[in-house]
Amino acid sequence: MIRTAILAAAALAAFASSPALADTLVDNVDGITVNEEGEVVRFTGLVFDDDGKVVQILERGERRPKVEYGIDGEGRVMLPGMIDAHVHVMGIGFGALLLDLSDTNSLEEALAKIKAFADENPGRPWILGRGWNQEKWGLGRFPTAEELDSVVADRPVWLSRVDGHASWANSLAMQVAGVTAANSDPSGGRIIRKAGSREPAGVFVDAAEALVNAVVPAPRPEDRDAALIKAQEILLENGITAVADMGTSIEDWQTFRRAGDAGRLNIRIMSYATDADTMDLIAGPGPTPWLYDDKLRMGGIKLYLDGALGSRGATLKKPYEDEPQTTGLPLLTPAQLRNIMSRAAMDNFQVATHAIGDAANSDVLRAIEELSETYQGDRRWRIEHAQIVDPADLAKFGQHGVIASMQPLHQTSDRLMAESRLGPDRLDGAYAWRSVLQVGGKLAFGSDAPVEPADAFAGLAVAISRTDADGQPFGGWMPDETVSREAALKAFTADAAFAGFADGHFGRLVPGERADFILVDRDPMLASPSEIRETRVLQVWVGGKRMR
């Protein structure tokens, strides 16, 4: 009996002195995270457990616990995994696998690239791609079907504009779709026509894209799986460990689920359904639980209230400066917007509304104000882009918990175009990041990839400087709207997680949250904007597992 008691006591003592089951210490790092107040917290070691959750953050000089595994961080900078608050996951993958025109600087360069792609892929029944931008080309107009015909006339060609709000067809694509002069502009869309004629010129804006999309061959499941693999590679290479997928279709969701079931879902995805029916089909009576160890959740719906500035689809309170006969293309009536928002909110789905022009932003802010009387509690209403806001409406971002989900790189890409579209007297409230914070709103930063590159460090550099990759304009464009380094980092990490109801799951390197972190070669709290853009991502860890 005594011998048994001694053995039991010895076993208990051995257990108490042994390291925790499979805990891992990443030591000798220059660690940075942000606390709830938005302050930078520095540390030199991080412990995570076998479940991939942070157990402990260690400061310099603090005693290190006994652990099963140890990793030397070699003095590198450790940051929380970047979170991109607005992407199109499958668009990133397909954009990388199809024809990409985003690097072309003229119509002639684009046509040469289209021809080369078609010649290299003779077996493709359609030539599909994205990324053209007539503003970047300095064209002063939309491209035409005839120009596409000059390089590819034997197969349909269908190319999405860089912002995804217009597409360019050749004559054969329009013929296959049955589009003629007899087609009227659909509600929320516009067929660009030849001068002085009703003949389609080749470009279709917003809802009009559906006329051709209806006959484009759908990707096969294996094509979708390949696109997701590619999208994850691109995101992880850039240190992005979690995203909000804006406009998840049922096909997208099933692709994510196949990857999760097979253990190939390597990033975290906060999904927002492409429409109310899809939301109900996927999630049913309310948001799904987190799946695959916090890798996937359908929590809300993405609505489109207007188009984009580049295609003059963003809805403005006053006519466009460079096209006075239009104020944009509303995609929903005020009644439709409120009905869909209400349908989602009554089942506790989060609503994320695309609004770019000042008229669209004003309408959705009013809708939030009205609906908040009925749907109370923690709603986290999101406005995606919020690019042009009437200064008179800015204060509303501080009410009802509105989140401005904004993309810093849009400011540098759109600067000259915004000046042309709006004129110099209507730029107050444009890309107004600091103003949103000053009135009590919350920012979540992203890229809108593949519209812009999925590059959080370029986004950080723009957020603190309002300058592009060439450092232009000197001193920054409307520099009063820059944000602090701390605020920018928080918007790409903790607040991006908060914006997707993921706070407490991931986004900060604190005990209890997922051990999603990256090691990089420089400190974004100290580096210049140009240096931040050159940040090299050395390692990426998701849930305590190294992904690259």
Side-chain angles (χ1 to χ4, degrees):
M1 192 76 173
I2 294 174
R3 183 172 180 275
T4 301
I6 292 172
L7 288 173
L12 184 63
F15 176 80
S17 62
S18 67
L21 178 63
D23 278 3
T24 299
L25 168 63
V26 185
D27 206 1
N28 186 24
V29 297
D30 185 4
I32 300 171
T33 190
V34 290
N35 62 21
E36 292 184 359
E37 289 72 40
E39 301 166 334
V40 166
V41 175
R42 292 191 177 264
F43 58 92
T44 58
L46 178 146
V47 180
F48 61 84
D49 63 19
D50 201 35
D51 291 328
K53 292 185 177 181
V54 177
V55 174
Q56 191 176 4
I57 296 296
L58 301 163
E59 297 180 359
R60 189 178 306 279
E62 190 172 353
R63 184 175 180 178
R64 269 43 185 167
K66 290 184 178 180
V67 294
E68 189 75 16
Y69 305 107
I71 298 171
D72 183 3
E74 300 179 349
R76 294 165 174 163
V77 174
M78 176 185 283
L79 299 170
M82 296 291 106
I83 301 175
D84 194 314
H86 186 120
V87 303
H88 307 278
V89 173
M90 299 304 294
I92 295 171
F94 281 122
L97 297 174
L98 299 175
L99 173 60
D100 182 7
L101 299 174
S102 61
D103 60 349
T104 59
N105 295 304
S106 68
L107 174 62
E108 293 72 25
E109 187 180 341
L111 291 173
K113 190 169 185 179
I114 294 163
K115 184 179 187 307
F117 184 87
D119 290 344
E120 292 163 7
N121 295 276
R124 297 199 181 204
W126 282 66
I127 301 301
L128 303 174
R130 62 163 303 279
W132 59 271
N133 185 350
Q134 83 283 3
E135 297 294 328
K136 184 179 178 182
W137 296 343
L139 196 60
R141 59 170 175 82
F142 283 121
T144 67
E146 284 82 359
E147 286 160 338
L148 267 184
D149 294 342
S150 70
V151 292
V152 183
D154 62 332
R155 284 170 283 171
V157 181
W158 185 233
L159 306 170
S160 178
R161 192 180 183 278
V162 64
D163 57 14
H165 285 271
S167 292
W168 177 22
N170 70 349
S171 295
L172 189 53
M174 292 191 292
Q175 180 183 327
V176 172
V179 177
T180 68
N183 287 89
S184 299
D185 289 353
S187 176
R190 180 184 176 196
I191 301 170
I192 304 301
R193 302 180 191 272
K194 296 179 181 179
S197 165
R198 284 190 53 82
E199 286 294 326
V203 168
F204 298 77
V205 179
D206 286 319
E209 293 173 285
L211 297 170
V212 181
N213 281 334
V215 298
V216 176
R220 302 167 301 170
E222 51 265 44
D223 297 330
R224 291 183 172 278
D225 293 342
L228 177 58
I229 290 170
K230 188 63 177 178
Q232 292 188 104
E233 288 176 0
I234 291 169
L235 291 164
L236 290 169
E237 284 172 1
N238 284 283
I240 296 167
T241 57
V243 298
D245 185 52
M246 286 294 161
T248 305
S249 68
I250 182 63
E251 293 84 3
D252 297 341
W253 179 260
Q254 290 301 97
T255 305
F256 302 157
R257 291 298 305 262
R258 285 196 298 275
D261 291 344
R264 292 184 282 101
L265 191 57
N266 299 324
I267 61 171
R268 305 191 189 279
I269 302 177
M270 300 169 279
S271 279
Y272 292 78
T274 190
D275 55 68
D277 289 341
T278 299
M279 176 186 74
D280 290 342
L281 179 63
I282 291 172
T288 70
W290 284 100
L291 305 172
Y292 312 114
D293 296 327
D294 294 339
K295 290 283 184 66
L296 180 64
R297 177 178 181 262
M298 169 67 75
I301 185 173
K302 164 74 179 300
L303 306 181
Y304 284 92
L305 190 51
D306 67 348
L309 277 178
S311 52
R312 298 183 184 86
T315 54
L316 304 179
K317 292 185 175 182
K318 297 178 181 179
Y320 278 81
E321 182 76 11
D322 58 356
E323 194 171 303
Q325 64 270 32
T326 185
T327 57
L329 292 170
L331 302 181
L332 295 171
T333 67
Q336 288 172 327
L337 172 66
R338 286 153 178 78
N339 286 341
I340 301 173
M341 291 176 70
S342 182
R343 175 177 171 181
M346 69 173 59
D347 286 331
N348 293 312
F349 288 102
Q350 188 185 15
V351 178
T353 305
H354 165 119
I356 288 182
D358 56 4
N361 277 285
S362 183
D363 190 17
V364 70
L365 285 166
R366 285 197 309 272
I368 290 169
E369 189 171 21
E370 295 163 13
L371 292 173
S372 292
E373 297 179 8
T374 301
Y375 303 107
Q376 300 179 357
D378 188 8
R379 295 291 171 172
R380 304 189 195 180
W381 309 98
R382 294 177 61 136
I383 300 181
E384 303 304 310
H385 309 306
Q387 286 178 214
I388 311 298
V389 180
D390 186 332
D393 292 324
L394 274 169
K396 294 178 182 177
F397 278 92
Q399 303 166 9
H400 311 298
V402 178
I403 296 167
S405 170
M406 304 179 77
Q407 300 74 43
L409 289 180
H410 280 337
Q411 182 265 299
T412 50
S413 296
D414 294 356
R415 173 175 62 89
L416 297 176
M417 179 182 65
E419 292 174 352
S420 298
R421 297 288 190 269
L422 300 172
D425 298 330
R426 296 162 61 191
L427 292 173
D428 289 344
Y431 312 87
W433 311 323
R434 187 185 298 184
S435 292
V436 168
L437 293 178
Q438 286 177 334
V439 299
K442 192 176 285 285
L443 288 177
F445 278 160
S447 66
D448 199 13
V451 175
E452 301 283 358
D455 188 342
F457 291 100
L460 283 169
V462 172
I464 65 172
S465 70
R466 308 277 285 199
T467 58
D468 63 19
D470 298 321
Q472 295 298 318
F474 180 77
W477 187 72
M478 300 175 64
D480 288 347
E481 292 295 350
T482 57
V483 296
S484 69
R485 294 168 186 262
E486 295 81 1
L489 180 61
K490 194 166 182 243
F492 269 114
T493 55
D495 282 351
F498 177 88
F501 282 93
D503 46 316
H505 295 267
F506 53 87
R508 296 188 299 144
L509 295 177
V510 296
E513 293 200 15
R514 296 288 177 180
D516 299 349
F517 60 86
I518 58 177
L519 298 181
V520 299
D521 68 342
R522 66 199 70 193
D523 185 341
M525 297 294 104
L526 301 175
S528 69
S530 61
E531 291 170 337
I532 292 173
R533 282 181 175 270
E534 300 301 318
T535 299
R536 290 178 55 234
V537 178
L538 306 172
Q539 294 184 24
V540 180
W541 293 68
V542 179
K545 296 180 180 178
R546 185 171 175 179
M547 294 300 166
R548 72 176 297 276

